[in-house]
């Protein structure tokens, strides 16, 4: 294959990657290194990319003394190719995750900001990058989903991340870069053995490649197989959630979970967490969840805390709740004045609204008080002859223990009139006739 053929092949790979994506702007993520500089040069030669509106973006990490010069060089490259280029400066905070992960997170945050609806961000990752990613994930410990390594196409913010060259060897990119007489930046961080990827690339990969010459191709193929298996697992996990989860209530039935194999169990719990915008639990957390929460004694109230949230079990359901949503309400009393249609509750508890029969805001005819459970409260439910302990009513109504301390209670002096949204007395209907109280947590 001639150099001209190689250039044409890389351009064709870009256009093939764009075909499944709706016609929207195309962005090139350009670090200034050999890979991304080649991607920019090839995309600039693509009629399809040009027709969709081609732009470049450079993320200025500020981690090297020459970072400003690198940004200038990228802008000069783009200018020479008549491609608009944006430079976005970011602050890197490596605490808790390391420098590599923090820099990657900052880049992807920029990508999400710049991508409009259905716009595509092209990344220059190639076959060896994919193989290295798979090896690193294996060494660090990963799930089947992690074995899928980098995806050729995935959602990002309102648009897409596309990697058109995952099947292309690094050698082919080098060949095209030289044929196009490109000049690129050599980032010293790529040779800093403190970084896991640099260590793998400089110290480990040459040894493995000597012994197993087709290693990159085989690992890339494995990543593709794992991605396919992961997609099937995700589809199965979604089917489980469709049948057994109530996302608005943040709950999932337990008995079907216990019938799942380990892989599908993990996929289902991770997907459940992601759909609730919670970081998915890792391998050890999933083991603890099954052992300490799902299989705990029936009368236990197990809790597994995770990333500012809590997994809790109550009866037949598993709940995933923000920790702030399980704290008891403060021991205070609020006055709901006559003539007022709503009452703001303490932080995190929402508000109460008074509605008429047409669900329109209504004013309170008389003043009442709002308190929270302190123990010993009794109420005579409407239509019942006797007063009942609120504690027993909560149990009968299936109110989870952590919610019992947060349900607003309406009083007239010392008389309990209602646990809002759950049970009320006939006396409340006499004081506020034709009205109902809505709690908006």
């Amino acid at each position: 294959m001639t150099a001209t053929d190689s250039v044409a092949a890389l351009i064709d790979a870009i256009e093939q990657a764009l075909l499944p994506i709706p016609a929207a702007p195309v962005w090139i993520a350009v670090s200034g290194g050999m890979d991304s500089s080649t991607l920019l040069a090839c995309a600039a030669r693509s009629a399809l990319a040009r027709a969709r509106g081609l732009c470049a973006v450079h993320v200025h990490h500020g981690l090297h003394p020459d970072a400003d010069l690198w940004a200038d060089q990228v802008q000069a490259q783009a200018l020479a190719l008549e491609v608009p280029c944006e430079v976005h400066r970011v602050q890197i905070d490596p605490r808790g995750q390391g420098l590599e992960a923090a820099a990657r997170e900052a880049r992807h945050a920029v990508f999400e900001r710049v991508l409009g609806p259905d716009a595509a961000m092209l990344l220059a990752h190639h076959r060896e990058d994919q193989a290295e990613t798979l090896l690193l994930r294996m060494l660090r410990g990963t799930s089947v989903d992690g074995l899928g390594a980098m995806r050729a196409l995935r959602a990002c913010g309102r648009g897409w991340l596309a990697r058109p060259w995952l099947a292309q060897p690094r050698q082919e990119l080098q060949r095209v870069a030289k044929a196009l007489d490109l000049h690129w930046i050599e980032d010293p961080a790529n040779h800093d053995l403190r970084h896991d990827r640099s260590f793998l690339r400089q110290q480990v990969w040459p040894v493995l490649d000597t012994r197993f010459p087709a290693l990159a191709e085989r690992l890339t193929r494995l990543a593709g197989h794992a991605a396919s298996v992961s997609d099937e697992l995700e589809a199965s996990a979604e089917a489980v959630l469709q049948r057994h989860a109530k996302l608005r209530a943040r709950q999932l039935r337990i008995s079907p979970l216990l019938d799942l194999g380990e892989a599908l169990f993990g996929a289902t719990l991770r997907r459940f967490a992601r759909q609730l915008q919670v970081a998915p639990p890792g391998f050890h957390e999933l083991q603890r969840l099954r052992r300490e929460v799902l299989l705990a004694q029936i009368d236990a109230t197990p809790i597994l805390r995770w990333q500012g949230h809590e997994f809790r079990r109550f009866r037949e359901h598993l709940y995933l709740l923000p920790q702030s949503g399980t704290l008891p309400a403060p021991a205070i009393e609020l006055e709901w004045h006559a003539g007022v249609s709503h009452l703001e509750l303490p932080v995190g508890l929402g508000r109460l609204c008074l509605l008429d029969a047409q669900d329109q805001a209504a004013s309170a005819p008389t003043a009442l008080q709002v308190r929270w459970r302190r123990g010993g409260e009794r109420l005579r439910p409407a239509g019942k002859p006797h007063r009942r302990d609120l504690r027993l009513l909560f149990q009968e109504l299936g109110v989870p223990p952590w919610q019992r301390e947060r349900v607003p209670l309406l009083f007239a002096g010392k008389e309990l009139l209602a646990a809002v949204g759950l049970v009320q007395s006939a006396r409340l209907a006499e004081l506020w006739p034709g009205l109902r109280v809505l709690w908006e947590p």
Side-chain angles (χ1 to χ4, degrees):
M1 181 184 292
T2 66
T4 302
D5 292 336
S6 295
V7 173
L10 293 187
I11 294 173
D12 182 66
I14 291 172
E15 296 188 342
Q16 290 301 316
L18 291 176
L19 288 179
I21 304 173
V26 177
W27 292 81
I28 307 295
V30 186
S31 68
M34 187 273 290
D35 302 342
S36 63
S37 295
T38 306
L39 180 63
L40 175 62
C42 289
R45 289 165 168 79
S46 163
L48 178 59
R50 287 280 191 186
R52 293 192 177 188
L54 183 63
C55 300
V57 61
H58 173 76
V59 180
H60 187 309
H61 299 91
L63 297 175
H64 190 274
D66 292 334
D68 288 337
L69 295 176
W70 294 348
D72 292 341
Q73 183 169 331
V74 169
Q75 286 186 303
Q77 285 179 341
L79 180 62
L81 294 166
E82 298 182 346
V83 176
C85 180
E86 295 183 4
V87 174
H88 289 254
R89 293 175 179 265
V90 296
Q91 296 291 325
I92 306 298
D93 182 2
R95 290 176 296 181
Q97 57 181 333
L99 190 61
E100 289 179 281
R104 181 173 59 252
E105 185 177 286
R107 285 195 299 276
H108 282 253
V110 170
F111 298 162
E112 289 190 14
R113 285 200 303 272
V114 303
L115 286 175
D118 284 326
M121 180 71 69
L122 303 189
L123 306 179
H125 296 118
H126 47 70
R127 188 176 68 185
E128 282 73 15
D129 288 328
Q130 180 76 313
E132 290 167 1
T133 297
L134 176 56
L135 270 180
L136 282 171
R137 293 187 179 182
M138 291 169 65
L139 292 169
R140 292 167 177 164
T142 188
S143 63
V144 172
D145 180 57
L147 289 178
M150 296 182 289
R151 297 302 184 98
L153 181 66
R154 74 168 180 84
C156 177
R158 296 176 295 167
W160 303 91
L161 285 187
R163 297 179 173 94
W165 290 349
L166 280 183
Q168 301 291 334
R170 177 188 288 123
Q171 185 178 2
E172 193 67 9
L173 273 63
Q174 291 172 332
R175 184 183 187 194
V176 168
K178 291 178 181 178
L180 297 177
D181 194 26
L182 300 181
H183 301 280
W184 56 85
I185 297 163
E186 292 290 352
D187 186 350
N190 292 332
H191 302 280
D192 187 343
L193 299 185
R194 291 175 298 176
H195 304 314
D196 288 344
R197 188 176 289 272
S198 298
F199 176 78
L200 179 65
R201 184 174 296 172
Q202 303 298 326
Q203 300 291 315
V204 179
W205 187 267
V207 177
L208 292 175
D209 194 44
T210 300
R211 182 77 177 189
F212 306 100
L215 181 62
E217 182 181 352
R218 292 169 181 170
L219 288 177
T220 302
R221 189 184 309 130
L222 172 60
H225 292 326
S228 178
V229 171
S230 176
D231 288 344
E232 292 182 12
L233 267 178
E234 283 294 309
S236 298
E238 178 59 25
V240 174
L241 295 180
Q242 289 285 345
R243 290 194 298 270
H244 304 295
K246 294 181 179 179
L247 293 179
R248 287 181 63 85
R250 307 181 73 93
Q251 69 182 34
L252 177 58
R253 283 188 61 216
I254 290 174
S255 54
L257 287 179
L258 296 176
D259 292 334
L260 302 178
E262 183 175 333
L264 185 52
F265 174 83
T268 301
L269 266 298
R270 288 192 295 271
R271 190 175 184 88
F272 180 57
R274 285 195 299 269
Q275 290 184 356
L276 294 176
Q277 298 184 327
V278 180
F283 174 77
H284 296 294
E285 289 74 29
L286 288 170
Q287 285 193 319
R288 289 185 57 201
L289 181 63
R290 183 189 285 269
R291 182 178 64 251
E292 300 174 17
V293 179
L294 301 185
L295 296 177
Q297 295 295 323
I298 193 66
D299 58 347
T301 55
I303 301 172
L304 176 64
R305 293 184 171 87
W306 170 250
Q307 300 283 320
H309 289 73
E310 295 177 350
F311 284 100
R312 289 180 176 241
R313 192 194 72 189
F314 177 63
R315 296 184 178 174
E316 286 298 310
H317 289 93
L318 175 70
Y319 293 80
L320 179 53
L321 307 159
Q323 284 182 279
S324 60
T326 63
L327 299 175
I332 61 174
E333 178 176 292
L334 302 177
E335 185 78 9
W336 194 329
H337 297 286
V340 176
S341 63
H342 68 275
L343 182 67
E344 297 295 334
L345 304 179
V347 174
L349 291 172
R351 69 175 188 166
L352 300 178
C353 301
L354 191 58
L355 305 176
D356 61 20
Q358 286 73 44
D359 286 338
Q360 300 298 312
S363 298
T366 60
L368 295 178
Q369 295 77 46
V370 175
R371 297 200 290 269
W372 282 266
R373 188 175 172 223
R374 300 172 186 173
E377 294 87 357
R378 293 172 63 81
L379 176 146
R380 190 180 79 173
K384 301 294 183 181
H386 304 295
R387 298 171 71 207
R388 302 282 309 283
D389 285 345
L390 184 61
R391 175 180 61 86
L392 297 177
L393 287 171
F394 276 167
Q395 291 178 3
E396 292 174 8
L397 292 168
V399 181
W402 60 89
Q403 288 185 6
R404 298 171 191 176
E405 311 302 318
R406 297 172 63 84
V407 175
L409 307 179
L410 279 178
F411 287 84
K414 295 183 178 180
E415 181 184 3
L416 176 59
L417 303 178
V420 177
L422 296 170
V423 60
Q424 71 178 51
S425 68
R427 177 67 174 151
L428 179 61
E430 294 173 3
L431 293 172
W432 286 0
L435 304 177
R436 69 182 182 92
V437 184
L438 175 67
W439 178 28
E440 298 177 338

